[in-house]
């Protein structure tokens, strides 16, 4: 497609992931390059020292205020990947499938409730003492109603390294 047929820039909202995608065309040097990026409001952050054997919690932030009072879960993985949410949802968690993902989905300490501003904190979980320093633990938070089962917003995946 000739570059003159492409829009110079655009912004789109993706309701499946509740995030915005931006794209733009750069014709520097006479060659057309298409760039894209995105931003998702919901986020999760590990809180604690990150030391093996220590307590760790997760803070969920900027979820929709309409999710106030709903539960959320933090999912863990040993690697990034493309495991999909179950029950027909199918969105990509950014986490690799495996035992950590399966166990974290049902671990009671990795649950929390969102407040009126879309923020919440999980309980404390213990980082396994056997993990060597520098081990990367990947995670993502998702709003989840076990009674339905229904998923709400999904935060981008992130990671922390054990100390």
């Amino acid at each position: 497609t000739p570059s003159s047929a492409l829009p110079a820039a655009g912004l789109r909202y993706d309701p499946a992931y509740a995030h915005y995608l931006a794209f733009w065309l750069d014709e520097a040097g006479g060659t057309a390059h298409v760039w894209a990026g995105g931003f998702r409001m919901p986020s999760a952050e590990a809180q604690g020292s990150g030391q093996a054997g220590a307590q760790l919690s997760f803070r969920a932030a900027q979820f929709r205020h309409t999710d106030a009072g709903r539960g959320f879960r933090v999912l863990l993985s040993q690697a990034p990947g493309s495991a999909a949410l179950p029950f027909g949802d199918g969105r990509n968690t950014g986490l690799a499938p495996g035992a950590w993902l399966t166990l974290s989905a049902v671990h009671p300490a990795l649950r929390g409730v969102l407040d009126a501003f879309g923020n919440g904190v999980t309980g404390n979980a213990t980082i396994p003492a056997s993990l060597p320093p520098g081990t990367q633990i990947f995670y993502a938070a998702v709003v989840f109603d076990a009674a339905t089962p229904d998923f709400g917003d999904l935060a981008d995946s992130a990671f922390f390294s054990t100390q």
Side-chain angles (χ1 to χ4, degrees):
T1 303
S3 62
S4 61
L6 297 173
L11 181 67
R12 299 290 185 267
Y13 179 72
D14 177 7
Y17 288 90
H19 68 185
Y20 288 91
L21 300 169
F23 57 92
W24 60 97
L25 179 65
D26 177 10
E27 295 188 75
T31 304
H33 297 278
V34 177
W35 299 91
F39 180 74
R40 192 179 314 177
M41 289 296 292
S43 65
E45 180 182 14
Q47 298 187 312
S49 69
Q51 294 217 296
Q55 296 287 301
L56 178 77
S57 64
F58 292 88
R59 184 177 75 86
Q62 299 180 331
F63 281 79
R64 296 176 207 230
H65 71 278
T66 54
D67 284 330
R70 289 188 72 188
F72 71 93
R73 298 190 185 198
V74 173
L75 305 173
L76 304 176
S77 181
Q78 292 178 289
S82 57
L85 290 174
F87 309 121
D89 183 288
R91 288 178 292 166
N92 182 335
T93 62
L95 305 174
W100 280 41
L101 186 61
T102 303
L103 294 173
S104 65
V106 297
H107 195 293
L110 297 175
R111 298 178 189 170
V113 176
L114 296 172
D115 66 17
F117 301 101
N119 303 319
V121 179
T122 66
N124 288 321
T126 302
I127 300 171
S130 60
L131 292 179
T135 299
Q136 291 183 328
I137 299 174
F138 295 81
Y139 60 92
V142 63
V143 174
F144 180 68
D145 182 356
T148 9
D150 176 50
F151 291 98
D153 284 345
L154 171 66
D156 278 328
S157 60
F159 75 93
F160 70 92
S161 296
T162 58
Q163 302 300 310

